[in-house]
């Protein structure tokens, strides 16, 4: 008997069992407990768990990048990274301009 349980921060996606009877996928559950009585192969797939309330722009961006990394589509990821750099540069320019205006003596 053995148990498959995800580490903290992960959630199960599926468990596939292949034995003399064929291949079957077990529905997702938090913990799997199985009794092994003959030779078989068990493949468990887990993914990063989504936490409740993590729908901020940063969390959505991270999920998008993770999804794109899995599909191999890097063009969108590059555009997202470029947009992030541009927003950061714009933010810095605004801060420096305000500091310069505050430092300028009034006539």
């Amino acid at each position: 008997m053995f148990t498959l349980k995800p580490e903290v921060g992960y959630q199960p996606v599926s468990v596939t069992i292949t034995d003399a009877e064929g291949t079957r996928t077990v529905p997702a559950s938090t913990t799997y407990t199985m009794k092994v009585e003959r030779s078989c192969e068990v493949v468990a797939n887990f993914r990063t768990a989504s936490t409740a309330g993590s729908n901020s722009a940063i969390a959505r961006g991270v999920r998008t990048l993770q999804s794109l990394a899995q599909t191999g589509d890097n063009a969108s990821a590059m555009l997202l990274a470029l947009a992030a750099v541009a927003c950061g540069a714009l933010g810095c320019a605004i801060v420096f301009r305000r500091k310069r205006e505050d430092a300028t003596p009034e006539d």
Side-chain angles (χ1 to χ4, degrees):
M1 179 92 57
F2 68 92
T3 301
L4 299 172
K5 184 176 181 182
E7 292 287 329
V8 174
Y10 290 88
Q11 64 188 31
V13 176
S14 66
V15 173
T16 304
I17 303 166
T18 304
D19 58 15
E21 296 175 12
T23 300
R24 58 199 175 282
T25 301
V26 181
S29 172
T30 6
T31 303
Y32 299 93
T33 302
M34 301 173 186
K35 185 176 182 182
V36 179
E37 298 175 340
R38 59 183 169 261
S39 177
C40 68
E41 178 181 277
V42 178
V43 177
N45 294 298
F46 300 93
R47 69 171 169 233
T48 306
S50 299
T51 56
S54 63
N55 203 24
S56 67
I58 293 172
R60 286 192 311 270
V62 168
R63 285 194 300 271
T64 300
L65 289 174
Q66 288 173 336
S67 173
L68 293 171
Q70 291 174 355
T71 62
D73 182 6
N74 295 326
S76 296
M78 296 303 280
L79 287 174
L80 184 61
L82 182 59
V85 169
C87 288
L90 179 62
C92 288
I94 290 170
V95 168
F96 289 132
R97 182 177 180 186
R98 286 187 182 163
K99 283 185 179 182
R100 188 173 61 215
E101 287 173 355
D102 291 344
T104 304
E106 294 181 17
D107 292 331

